[in-house]
Amino acid sequence: MRRNSTHTHSHSRMYERALFALCLLTLVLFQSAASCELRPVLAQVPKRLPAGYVISEVTLKGCVAKPVAFTSSDPDFTVNTDGTIITVRGLEITTKRFSVLVQDENRSDWRVDIILSCKDELSQKSSSAAHKRTKRRWRPLPFSVVENDSPPFPKELEMIASDSSVNYTVYYQISGQGVTTDPVGLFILNKNNGMLSVTRAVDREQYPQFNFIARVYDVSGRETDAFLPITVNVEDKNDNAPEFIGGRFFTVEERCRAGTVIGQVNATDKDQAKTAHTLIKFTLHNATDMFSIDPFTGIITAKTNTLDREAQDKVYAEIEIRDMGGAPNGLFSRGTVVITLTDVNDNPPTFKEKLYKAKVQENQENVLVTRIQVEDKDLVNTPNWKALFEVTKGNESGNFRMETDPKTNEGLLYVIKGLDFEKTPLVKLEITARNEVPLVGPDTKWLSVPLELSVGDEDEGPEFNPGILYLKVKENVANGTVIGTYKALDPENKNSNGIKYYKMTDPGNWITVVENTGELKTANTIDRESPLVHKDMYNITIRAVDESKKTGKGMVIIQIEDVNDNMPVIPGTDLIMCSKDDTLSSVLVEAVDMDQRPYSTPFIFELGADQDGKWKLKDTTESSVVLEQAVAMPTGLYSVPLLVKDLQGFGKEQTVNVRVCTCEREENGVGICGARSASSSLGSLGILALVLSGLLLLLLSLLLIFICSTKRDKLYISDDTGTGGMLLKSNTEAPGEEVKDGALMMIPGAEVVDGSLQSGLMESKNVTSASGRYGQQFFQGGGVYNTTTQEFGTEKFYSSGRYDNNIYGNNTLQKLSNTSALDTWKTNGRYLDRKLAYFGDEEEGRYADDLLKTYGHEGMGSPAGSVGCCSILGEQESLDFLNTLGPKFKPLADVCYTTNRTGN
C-alpha cells in the first residue's frame, strides 16, 4: 500500500509542474498578443489610382517582435519592406478591402485588414482640417523610358502621388535633370494628378539615366510631404552598329608556321554593355585560305605555313563586325585589315646561264675576267638579296678572287696570280652564289654554275726551276769554289739554250754567277757570323735573260754550315773585386764564342802558366767561371792570365785586369767600391797623359783664334792686347808693315749654323795606347773640336777637307805609334805645320802680303809688343782682337814657319 501511495504522489507532482508551465506559456502568449495593437488600416484615396501610388503604411504597434515580411492578398497592391502599401498598376475604385499578412522575426503571422474608400474632392476638402496626417516618405519604383522612341509626343510614363493627398488638396512640382537642367523640358508633370510625361525622344548613349525630384504642396504653398527622388532609366535599343578601334595594319614573316598570331582587331559598340546589343562577332570574308580570325576576340592567326611574300607582299583582308552575337538582325560594320608579309631569305640567287665562258692572257694579274649575273626574288638591297660569290672548285692555287658589284649584284671574277698557258690552257671553275644571311626552308640550297676560262698564250721569259734553290755551304770555303748551278728554262721550248745569267742582289758580294752556265762560285769568304746572315741563311737573287731580252728571276738561299773559326773571348777584361772584412773575394768571368755547338760552349777555363798562385777558379758553368783570391791581397790593380778554350780545345790565353778595392756599401747584395783619386788610379803614364793633354788644348785654343769664321764675316786678330812681353832674338826686328784689314781666311762653301761650322765627316782612325780616360779630338774642316768621351790612348782624328781641296784639304792624319802618348803631340805638330804653311802662302787672296821679316834684336819699343802665349789668352773679356791680325801675329808666324822650313 505504501508503495502505491508513493507512486501516486510522484505522478501528482509531475502533473502540477506541467500545468504550471502551460499556464506560464499561456500567460506569455496572452501578454504578447495583448501588447500588439492590430488595427485595420482605413484610407481614403482618389477614385483613379496610378501605378506606384502610395496608399498607406502597415505598422504593428506594441509588438515585441519586429515585422520582417509583408504579403498582400490583392495582386493589385504590394507592400514594401517598410510596410508601405503601393499600387502595382493603375486602377479605379469606389471601395476596396483586402488584407496584408505580416510575419515577425519570431515567425509569427499577423493579419491586418486594409479598407480603402473613395471620397469626392468636396468631402476631402471639408474633412481635410479634421484628418491631418504626418509627413511620410514616398519611394516609387524607378521609371523607365525607351530610347529613341517613336512619336507622337508627349507620352505618359507614370503617375506620382503622395499619401498626403488623402488629407490635403495638393499639387506637384518637379525639378532637376531633364526638367530644369540640361536637357531642359524633357520631362513634364501634371501638377494636379502627378502624371509624368516625356516630351521627345532621348538617346541612351547620351543620357543613360535621369535623376530629379518631385515636391508636393497644399493650396497654401506649404510642403505636405518630404520631396520624392525620382529616377528615370533610359532603356537601350540596338541602334548603334559596332565600330573598329585601334590600328588595322599588321606584319608577319613569310613562311611563318601555322597558328602564328599576327594581331588583334578591336571593335566597340555604343549600346549598353554586357547585353546582346554589344556582343560583337568577327567574321573574315576573304583570304580565308591564308588567315583565320577568332569570332569573339578578333585575334588574327596564320592558317598555313606557306605564306609567300614573293607571290603577294600585302594582303587586304575584309572583316565584318556584327552585334547581337552575329545574329541576322544584328547591326554590323565592315572594314579592311592590311597584313604585310615581311621578307625572309627563302630564295637563293639563281644564275641566268647554265655555263659561263671567259678568256684571259697568261701571266696577267689583278685583271677582271668576267661578270656573272644572278637573280634573287627576295627583297632588293637587303641581306636576303645581296649575293656573295665564291670559286668553290678550281682555285686550289689561289689564282682567283671574286667580288660583288654593289649596284648590279653581279659577281666579278678577278685573276690575282698569273696563269700559265703551258701548264693549263683551259681552267675549269665552279662558282657558287650565296646571300649574306642563311637560307630559310628545308628545300632551299645554294646554287652553283660551271665556268670555263681559256688561257691565251704569249711569249714568256725564262723560268727558274725551282723558284727557290737551297744550297748548303760550309763557311770559309776557298774562293772560286763551285757551290751549285741554277738554271732557267724557256717555257715554250723547255730548254736553257741562249739563256744568260746575272746576279741581281748579293749583299756581301760573296757569290759569282757564271753568265753562260748559271754556275755559282764563291767570290769572297763566306762568314756565318756576318750580320748579313740571318738564322744561318744568306740570300741572293739571280736574273735569267733569253735571246729575246725577256727575263726571269730566281732566288738562291745558301744555308751556311758552321766551322770552328772563332775562339772564346772574354769581352770585359777590366773587372772589379770588392773585398770586405778580410774575406777572400771573387768575381765572375764570362766568355763568348760566335760559333755554334759543338764549336763553342761548354768552355774550358784554366789559369795561365804565368799566374803567381794568388788566384784560383771555381763554379765553372758552360760560359763562365768564378775567379777567387787564393790569398788575401792589398788593394790595387792585378793582371791575371786565363786560358779559355771551346769544346774542341780551340782557344787562347787572355789577360784579365782585376782591380781589388775595399767595399764601402752594398747595393742589391753586391759590394760597391769607394771613390779613388785620379792620380792613384792613373799612374805615372796617366799623369803624363794629362800634362800632354793640357798642352794640346792650349794649341787648339790658338788655332781656334786663327781660323774661326761666322757667316762669312772676316776674321781679325787684335793687336792691342797691351802685353809687355818681348820675344828676344840675336838680331833686331823692325816693327814691320801693317797687315791689311780683312779676313784671315775665307772657307769656300762653308755655312755657319748656331756658331758651328758645318762639314762632312771624312775619316776616323783609332789609336790604342795606355788604358785610362782622357778625351777625344775631332779635327773638322773649319775648326778643331774636343769631346770628353774618348778613352785615353784611343784617339779619333777626323779631317773633312773643305779648304778648296788644296794642300790643306782631304788630309788624313797618320798615327805614329801605338805605344807612346807623345805621338799625339807629333801628330798635332804636323797638322799645325801645314796650317802655318797655308797662312804663309803668298797666293793672291791670302793675308800674307806683308812678308815676315827677321831682325837681329827686338828692342823695348817694338809696336808689336810681346808675342807670348799668355798675352794672347789674357784678354778674354774682349773680342776686338778679331778685327785685324795685327803685327803681333807676324813674329809668331815667322818663328813657327821658319822653324817648320828649317827644322824637323
Side-chain angles (χ1 to χ4, degrees):
M1 268 315 273
R2 182 177 294 177
R3 194 172 181 183
N4 292 335
S5 165
T6 304
H7 184 71
T8 303
H9 180 69
S10 61
H11 275 281
S12 176
R13 291 182 62 185
M14 290 178 63
Y15 176 76
E16 290 177 356
R17 290 179 181 178
L19 182 61
F20 177 77
L22 180 61
C23 293
L24 183 60
L25 179 59
T26 303
L27 180 62
V28 171
L29 291 177
F30 177 77
Q31 289 179 352
S32 176
S35 63
C36 285
E37 184 179 353
L38 299 178
R39 295 179 181 178
V41 176
L42 302 175
Q44 289 184 342
V45 296
K47 181 177 181 181
R48 186 177 179 181
L49 297 178
Y53 183 86
V54 178
I55 302 299
S56 182
E57 183 177 353
V58 177
T59 59
L60 298 179
K61 294 183 179 181
C63 295
V64 177
K66 295 181 179 181
V68 296
F70 301 89
T71 304
S72 173
S73 62
D74 191 333
D76 292 334
F77 302 91
T78 184
V79 183
N80 290 337
T81 55
D82 60 353
T84 302
I85 304 172
I86 303 172
T87 58
V88 175
R89 60 184 181 84
L91 69 159
E92 292 182 2
I93 61 171
T94 53
T95 60
K96 191 73 170 178
R97 186 184 182 95
F98 61 95
S99 62
V100 174
L101 184 65
V102 182
Q103 186 179 40
D104 63 13
E105 58 186 1
N106 293 328
R107 295 187 179 275
S108 299
D109 294 332
W110 312 91
R111 192 179 71 176
V112 178
D113 293 330
I114 308 299
I115 301 172
L116 301 180
S117 61
C118 179
K119 187 176 182 180
D120 55 14
E121 188 173 347
L122 294 177
S123 63
Q124 290 181 18
K125 291 180 180 180
S126 62
S127 62
S128 60
H131 299 88
K132 292 185 178 181
R133 294 178 59 88
T134 60
K135 293 182 179 180
R136 301 180 184 274
R137 297 186 64 189
W138 41 352
R139 292 184 180 178
L141 294 176
F143 302 151
S144 63
V145 60
V146 178
E147 70 166 328
N148 296 325
D149 200 2
S150 57
F153 291 101
K155 288 188 176 182
E156 293 183 352
L157 298 180
E158 297 287 349
M159 181 180 288
I160 59 176
S162 172
D163 55 359
S164 63
S165 61
V166 176
N167 302 318
Y168 303 95
T169 299
V170 297
Y171 64 93
Y172 301 91
Q173 285 185 350
I174 56 176
S175 63
Q177 184 185 17
V179 181
T180 57
T181 62
D182 188 55
V184 178
L186 179 62
F187 298 101
I188 58 175
L189 181 69
N190 187 324
K191 59 183 294 186
N192 295 321
N193 60 18
M195 177 60 68
L196 182 68
S197 301
V198 61
T199 61
R200 59 184 181 270
V202 62
D203 186 5
R204 189 203 67 85
E205 285 69 42
Q206 185 178 8
Y207 301 105
Q209 187 180 73
F210 296 94
N211 292 285
F212 53 90
I213 60 174
R215 298 180 182 273
V216 57
Y217 302 92
D218 59 12
V219 292
S220 64
R222 180 178 60 87
E223 284 190 84
T224 60
D225 206 342
F227 68 87
L228 173 67
I230 298 176
T231 300
V232 178
N233 293 323
V234 181
E235 296 182 0
D236 184 42
K237 286 179 63 176
N238 190 20
D239 57 346
N240 290 279
E243 298 176 355
F244 289 98
I245 60 173
R248 282 181 281 170
F249 294 88
F250 306 100
T251 59
V252 66
E253 283 189 350
E254 62 173 334
R255 293 188 176 273
C256 66
R257 61 180 181 83
T260 300
V261 175
I262 298 172
Q264 184 175 11
V265 179
N266 295 310
T268 187
D269 196 316
K270 295 180 179 180
D271 292 325
Q272 189 171 357
K274 297 181 180 180
T275 64
H277 298 166
T278 56
L279 181 59
I280 301 173
K281 181 180 180 181
F282 299 85
T283 306
L284 185 64
H285 282 279
N286 67 327
T288 54
D289 57 333
M290 304 168 65
F291 308 102
S292 61
I293 187 169
D294 187 279
F296 294 103
T297 63
I299 295 176
I300 302 175
T301 56
K303 196 173 182 179
T304 178
N305 60 355
T306 59
L307 297 177
D308 189 3
R309 187 202 68 85
E310 288 70 38
Q312 185 179 4
D313 60 344
K314 290 183 185 295
V315 180
Y316 298 89
E318 185 178 353
I319 297 178
E320 178 186 282
I321 50 177
R322 185 183 292 266
D323 60 17
M324 301 299 292
N329 61 340
L331 302 178
F332 67 92
S333 299
R334 287 186 179 179
T336 301
V337 172
V338 181
I339 302 174
T340 301
L341 301 182
T342 59
D343 188 39
V344 298
N345 193 21
D346 57 340
N347 293 281
T350 58
F351 296 94
K352 291 187 175 182
E353 304 289 339
K354 294 183 178 180
L355 173 65
Y356 288 87
K357 293 184 178 182
K359 186 176 182 179
V360 66
Q361 288 295 114
E362 66 174 333
N363 301 322
Q364 287 189 341
E365 296 181 351
N366 297 317
V367 294
L368 176 63
V369 175
T370 186
R371 288 175 171 264
I372 301 175
Q373 295 181 343
V374 293
E375 291 181 347
D376 198 317
K377 295 180 181 179
D378 292 320
L379 189 61
V380 178
N381 292 327
T382 64
N384 302 331
W385 175 83
K386 294 178 181 179
L388 301 175
F389 297 88
E390 182 184 2
V391 181
T392 50
K393 290 183 181 179
N395 195 27
E396 289 76 11
S397 300
N399 296 86
F400 304 97
R401 181 186 80 248
M402 291 213 69
E403 296 180 358
T404 303
D405 189 325
K407 295 182 179 179
T408 63
N409 210 32
E410 293 175 324
L412 308 179
L413 177 64
Y414 289 90
V415 174
I416 58 176
K417 281 172 52 178
L419 300 173
D420 190 354
F421 171 80
E422 288 71 25
K423 293 181 179 178
T424 52
L426 181 65
V427 180
K428 293 185 178 182
L429 305 176
E430 181 184 77
I431 310 299
T432 302
R434 296 180 172 85
N435 292 125
E436 293 183 356
V437 294
L439 279 174
V440 175
D443 301 330
T444 53
K445 63 179 181 178
W446 305 121
L447 303 179
S448 301
V449 68
L451 185 145
E452 293 182 355
L453 182 61
S454 300
V455 182
D457 187 21
E458 66 178 16
D459 187 16
E460 300 173 289
E463 295 179 354
F464 284 96
N465 190 17
I468 299 177
L469 177 65
Y470 290 87
L471 297 176
K472 287 187 177 182
V473 180
K474 284 185 176 294
E475 64 175 331
N476 301 326
V477 297
N479 294 347
T481 303
V482 178
I483 63 174
T485 301
Y486 196 26
K487 286 191 174 185
L489 299 177
D490 192 317
E492 279 72 27
N493 53 34
K494 302 299 181 181
N495 60 54
S496 302
N497 298 334
I499 298 178
K500 294 185 178 182
Y501 305 91
Y502 303 94
K503 185 173 60 173
M504 294 179 63
T505 60
D506 183 5
N509 199 23
W510 289 351
I511 305 298
T512 298
V513 180
V514 179
E515 180 177 315
N516 295 323
T517 63
E519 287 184 324
L520 306 177
K521 296 182 180 181
T522 56
N524 287 297
T525 302
I526 297 177
D527 186 8
R528 190 196 66 84
E529 290 75 32
S530 169
L532 301 176
V533 178
H534 180 66
K535 294 183 179 181
D536 298 341
M537 290 186 293
Y538 178 77
N539 300 345
I540 65 172
T541 55
I542 309 297
R543 182 176 71 250
V545 182
D546 62 11
E547 294 177 349
S548 63
K549 303 304 180 181
K550 294 188 179 295
T551 63
K553 186 174 70 173
M555 177 180 287
V556 179
I557 297 178
I558 301 175
Q559 294 178 327
I560 304 174
E561 297 180 355
D562 191 24
V563 297
N564 195 9
D565 58 341
N566 292 280
M567 63 181 62
V569 177
I570 301 175
T573 57
D574 294 331
L575 305 176
I576 297 176
M577 183 178 293
C578 177
S579 60
K580 183 179 181 182
D581 300 333
D582 298 330
T583 59
L584 299 179
S585 303
S586 61
V587 66
L588 180 66
V589 181
E590 294 181 306
V592 295
D593 193 330
M594 297 180 66
D595 292 326
Q596 292 180 331
R597 292 194 179 195
Y599 305 122
S600 58
T601 56
F603 298 143
I604 301 171
F605 295 91
E606 298 176 358
L607 288 171
D610 297 336
Q611 63 96 11
D612 50 8
K614 295 181 180 180
W615 309 91
K616 62 180 180 179
L617 302 177
K618 68 173 185 178
D619 300 336
T620 302
T621 65
E622 286 192 350
S623 60
S624 66
V625 70
V626 175
L627 177 64
E628 186 181 36
Q629 295 176 349
V631 296
M633 290 179 289
T635 60
L637 185 64
Y638 298 89
S639 297
V640 182
L642 279 180
L643 177 61
V644 186
K645 296 183 288 185
D646 59 20
L647 186 60
Q648 307 298 326
F650 184 47
K652 67 177 181 179
E653 185 176 292
Q654 304 174 54
T655 300
V656 177
N657 297 319
V658 181
R659 185 169 71 89
V660 178
C661 63
T662 303
C663 295
E664 288 194 358
R665 66 183 188 279
E666 288 189 1
E667 291 183 5
N668 299 324
V670 180
I672 303 299
C673 293
R676 56 179 179 142
S677 64
S679 61
S680 63
S681 60
L682 287 176
S684 61
L685 189 58
I687 296 173
L688 178 60
L690 290 176
V691 174
L692 293 177
S693 300
L695 295 176
L696 181 60
L697 288 174
L698 180 60
L699 282 176
L700 293 179
S701 300
L702 291 174
L703 290 176
L704 286 174
I705 296 173
F706 295 160
I707 64 176
C708 287
S709 174
T710 304
K711 293 186 179 179
R712 298 186 178 269
D713 290 341
K714 296 181 179 180
L715 180 64
Y716 298 92
I717 298 179
S718 177
D719 61 345
D720 55 350
T721 58
T723 61
M726 298 180 67
L727 181 64
L728 299 179
K729 292 190 67 175
S730 60
N731 57 347
T732 302
E733 178 184 1
E737 297 180 355
E738 290 283 5
V739 178
K740 296 179 180 180
D741 291 340
L744 176 63
M745 182 186 71
M746 296 298 292
I747 302 176
E751 295 292 339
V752 179
V753 180
D754 296 334
S756 302
L757 294 177
Q758 294 181 344
S759 61
L761 181 61
M762 295 296 295
E763 181 181 357
S764 65
K765 288 192 176 182
N766 297 334
V767 181
T768 304
S769 182
S771 61
R773 299 194 61 86
Y774 177 68
Q776 184 178 10
Q777 295 180 348
F778 294 88
F779 290 82
Q780 297 186 349
V784 181
Y785 301 86
N786 290 313
T787 68
T788 57
T789 59
Q790 173 80 18
E791 312 235 355
F792 179 75
T794 301
E795 299 178 359
K796 295 182 179 179
F797 301 91
Y798 298 88
S799 177
S800 62
R802 294 301 302 272
Y803 294 98
D804 291 337
N805 295 322
N806 58 11
I807 60 172
Y808 174 62
N810 296 325
N811 288 314
T812 302
L813 302 180
Q814 303 293 329
K815 66 177 182 178
L816 300 177
S817 173
N818 292 331
T819 60
S820 175
L822 188 60
D823 294 333
T824 303
W825 176 263
K826 293 181 179 181
T827 301
N828 295 332
R830 290 186 179 183
Y831 182 87
L832 183 59
D833 289 342
R834 294 188 179 188
K835 190 82 169 179
L836 293 174
Y838 175 77
F839 280 100
D841 193 357
E842 295 184 11
E843 182 181 350
E844 183 179 357
R846 306 291 183 228
Y847 293 95
D849 293 341
D850 296 334
L851 299 179
L852 304 178
K853 292 181 174 57
T854 304
Y855 293 84
H857 182 265
E858 184 177 5
M860 292 296 295
S862 173
S866 175
V867 294
C869 62
C870 297
S871 65
I872 295 296
L873 302 176
E875 296 180 10
Q876 297 184 3
E877 70 279 0
S878 175
L879 297 178
D880 294 336
F881 68 90
L882 297 176
N883 294 332
T884 177
L885 295 177
K888 185 176 292 187
F889 173 74
K890 292 185 291 184
L892 178 61
D894 180 53
V895 172
C896 297
Y897 187 56
T898 304
T899 303
N900 181 52
R901 288 187 174 183
T902 60
N904 284 3

